[in-house]
Amino acid sequence: MRSEGYGAVADGQETTSKRHDSVRLAVIVGALGVVFGDIGTSPIYTLQTVFSPDDPHPVPVSSANVYGVVSLIFWSVMIIVTVTYILLALRIDNEGEGGIMALIALLKRQAASPGRRTAALLAAVGIFGASLFFGDSMITPAISVLSAVEGLKIVEPSMDSFVVPITAVIIVVLFLVQRRGTAAVGRVFGPVMIAWFLAIGGLGVVGIADHPQILKALSPTYAIGFLTGHFGIAFFALAAIVLAVTGAEALYADMGHFGRRSITRGWLFLVLPACTLSYLGQGALILADQSNVSSPFFLLAPEWARLPLVLLATAATVIASQAVITGAYSVASQAGQLGYLPRLRIAHTSESSIGQIYVPWINWLLLVSVLTLVFAFRSSAALAYAFGMAVTGTITITTLLSLYVARKRWGAPLWAIGAAATVLLAVDLLFVGANLTKLVHGAWLPLAIALTAFTLMTTWQRGRQVVTAERERLEGSLQEFVEEIRNGGAPTQLVPGTAVFLNRGKTTAPLAMRANVEHNSVRHEHVIIMSIETEPVPRVPEHERIVIDDLGYANDGIFHVIARYGYMETPDIPAALRMLDPETTEGQLNLDDASYFLSKIELRPGGAGTMAPWRKRLFMATTHATADAADYFGLPRTRTVIMGSRIEV
C-alpha cells in the first residue's frame, strides 16, 4: 500500500511538474511572439545601414572595418541588452511590472524619504524617457515593416514601387487585430519567431562556414581597436550600430506580460545566439565580396530561398511592431494611473493575466502616426537616423534610473554603483553623442515627439493639481458638512436606499452630495462617500482593498470608503462595494438598487497665473480624451446620476 501510495503521489507530482513545464514553455513561446520581435529583426538592416553610402558619415568598406563593426555590434548588444537590461533592469521590478514607468513609480515612492529631491528630479527625467519610448513606438513599426518589404527589391527590382503600399496595408491590419489581445497575438506569433530565429541563425552558420575567420570578431579587442584606432569613423558608425539594440526597452516594458524568467531564458538560449550568428554570417559575406554590403541579410540566403525569407522577414517585422505596441499600452496605462495622462479606456484582454491590455486611444494614435511616417520617409534608410535617437535616449535614462533605484533598494555599495555607472553610462552616452550628429538627418523627429509627449504629460499633471486645489476650495470640509447635516443646519428629508458619491478623498465634501442636500434637500438612508487611491504598486491584494471610516459617528448612515488599486488595475466600484462587511457599514446596504452620483466638472480658462495660457488650452483639450467615468469605474448606467459644476483654471 505504501509503495502504491508513493507511486500515486510521484505520478501526481510528475504530472504537475510536466504541466508547469508546459506552462513555462507556453509563456516563453508567447514572449518570443511579442517581446523579441523588435530586437530580433535588427539584423535585417543594421549592417546594411552602417555601411550605407547614403550615410552623411559613411563607413568605408574594408576588412578591418568589417571586423571592427561586427565586434562592436556584438559587444554593444552584450553590454546594453544582456548586462543593462537582462541582468540589471529586469531585476528592478515594481512587484513584477517593468518598464520606465515602473521605475518612475518606485522613484515617487522614494520621494517621501531622504534624498527626495534627487528622486523627484529623476522622476521628471524618467517622464522624458517615457516620452522617447512613445517616439520609439511610432518609428519601430514603420522602419521594421519597410525594411522587410524592401527585400522584394532584391528578389524583383520592379517591385520597388509597391513597397510603400504593401507596408501600409500590413500596418493597418496589424493595428486592427490588436483588440484580440496580447495572448492571442503571442500564440500566433510565437512559432513564427521560433522559425525566424532558427532561419537567421542557420543562414549565419552558412556564412560563417564560408569565411570562419569572422569568428575573431567575438574578441573585444577588435571592438576596442576599432574605437581607439579609427575613432573618427567608429564614432559616427555608432549611430547605426545602435540599431542592433532596438527593442531592449520593450523587453523591460513587457515584463509584466510574461515575467522576467521567460524573457531571460528566451534571450539567452535563442534570441542572442541567433542574432549573433546572423551578424557574423553577414560580416563573413561582406568579407567575401564587398558588393554584398548593399543587402547582406537577404543576400546571405541562396537565391531560391530569398522570397520565402522576405515573407518570413515581413511576418517577423510585424511581430517587431507588436513588441513596442504592447509596450506603449503598458506605459500609457501606467502613466494614467500615476497622474501623467488622462484616464483612458482600457480593455483587459486576458482572464488569466491582468497585465494584458488593449488601449484603443493609443492604438489609433499610433496607427495614424506610423502611416504618416511610412508615407513621409518611404524607406527604412531614411528612418534609421530618427530611430537611433529614440532608442539611445530611452536606454540612457533607463540605465540612470535603474542604477539609482538599485542603490536605494539593494543598498549596493556606492563604489559598485559608481563603477557600473561609469561603464554603462559611458557606453550609452557615446551612442547618444553619435546620434546627435544625425540631428538634421532625422534624429530631430523622436526628440520632437518626445518633447510633445513630455509637455502633454507635465501639463496634465500640473492641470490636475490646479483643478484639485480649486475643487477642494469649492467642496469645503467634509467633516464640517456632516456636522451641519447632523445638527440640522442643512434641513433634509431622509429617503430609503443607498447613495454612493465618488470623491477624491475624505477631507472635502463631494460637489454632487452638496447639490443633493442644499438644492434637493434630501439624503439617503445610507450614504457612502467613496474614494479611489492608486498605489505606486502594480496590484493591491484583495484583503487590503477596502478602508472604512465612520467619519466620527457610528449611527448616522454616512461613512467614507477608500478602495485601493495598483497602477496596473482598473477600478471596479460595484465589485469593491460587495466586499463591505455589514457590521462596519452602519447597517445592511441595498447595493443592487444603489444610486451612484458623479460630479462632472466643466473647465474654463481663468485669469489666475496658475499656468501659461497655451498650457491651459492644452490641458482643457486633453480632457476630451478622458474615458467616461461611469464606464471606467464599472458603474451601472441606469443607476448613475451626473451633476455638473464649473471650475476656472
Side-chain angles (χ1 to χ4, degrees), residues 57 235-236 238-239 385 388-389 392 429-444 447:
H57 306 98
F235 177 71
F236 291 115
L238 290 174
Y385 309 128
M389 192 70 251
T392 55
L429 290 173
L430 264 178
F431 280 108
V432 171
N435 277 275
L436 284 174
T437 65
K438 312 292 186 184
L439 204 58
V440 298
H441 303 286
W444 60 268
L447 292 178

Side-chain angles (χ1 to χ4, degrees), residues 125-180:
V125 173
I127 291 299
F128 188 75
S131 303
L132 279 170
F133 184 73
F134 283 123
D136 187 5
S137 303
M138 296 175 186
I139 299 172
T140 294
I143 190 174
S144 298
V145 180
L146 269 173
S147 66
V149 179
E150 284 169 351
L152 290 173
K153 296 187 293 184
I154 303 298
V155 178
E156 179 54 62
S158 63
M159 294 290 290
D160 189 8
S161 60
F162 293 95
V163 169
V164 171
I166 292 174
T167 299
V169 170
I170 292 171
I171 287 171
V172 169
V173 172
L174 171 65
F175 280 95
L176 287 177
V177 301
Q178 290 303 311
R179 67 183 63 194
R180 296 184 177 272

Side-chain angles (χ1 to χ4, degrees), residues 472-487:
E472 288 175 352
R473 186 187 68 80
L474 292 175
E475 290 173 337
S477 169
L478 175 61
Q479 197 66 49
E480 292 178 3
F481 188 57
V482 172
E483 291 280 358
E484 185 180 357
I485 293 174
R486 286 182 57 84
N487 297 333

Side-chain angles (χ1 to χ4, degrees), residues 442-502:
W444 60 268
L445 176 63
L447 292 178
I449 294 172
L451 187 60
T452 302
F454 180 79
T455 302
L456 181 66
M457 287 195 280
T458 54
T459 298
W460 180 260
Q461 182 193 35
R462 174 59 183 157
R464 284 182 73 249
Q465 293 172 347
V466 171
V467 170
T468 299
E470 179 63 16
R471 182 168 180 166
E472 288 175 352
R473 186 187 68 80
L474 292 175
E475 290 173 337
S477 169
L478 175 61
Q479 197 66 49
E480 292 178 3
F481 188 57
V482 172
E483 291 280 358
E484 185 180 357
I485 293 174
R486 286 182 57 84
N487 297 333
T492 57
Q493 180 179 352
L494 194 67
V495 297
T498 300
V500 182
F501 295 89
L502 266 66

Side-chain angles (χ1 to χ4, degrees), residues 37-49 143-151 196 200 243 275 278-279 282 293-298 309-310 312-318 320 380:
D38 191 2
I39 201 165
T41 52
S42 296
I44 297 176
Y45 45 78
T46 300
L47 265 177
Q48 174 184 332
T49 304
I143 190 174
S144 298
V145 180
L146 269 173
S147 66
V149 179
E150 284 169 351
W196 168 257
I200 67 172
L243 298 176
C275 290
S278 180
Y279 287 124
Q282 291 180 57
V293 76
S294 61
S295 185
F297 178 81
F298 289 107
L309 183 61
V310 168
L312 183 58
T314 302
T317 52
V318 168
S380 60

Side-chain angles (χ1 to χ4, degrees), residues 402-431:
S402 296
L403 290 170
Y404 179 84
V405 174
R407 165 72 174 162
K408 295 294 184 180
R409 172 181 279 193
W410 299 333
L414 190 59
W415 65 265
I417 295 295
T422 300
V423 175
L424 298 179
L425 288 176
V427 172
D428 294 346
L429 290 173
L430 264 178
F431 280 108

Side-chain angles (χ1 to χ4, degrees), residues 25 40 64 73 109 117 134 214 217 220 237 286 295 327 355 391 423 436 498 503 530 560 586:
L25 180 60
I73 288 174
R109 190 186 305 173
R117 291 183 180 178
F134 283 123
I214 191 64
I286 296 172
S295 185
V391 173
V423 175
L436 284 174
T498 300
N503 203 34
M530 191 155 192
H560 183 268
E586 306 179 18

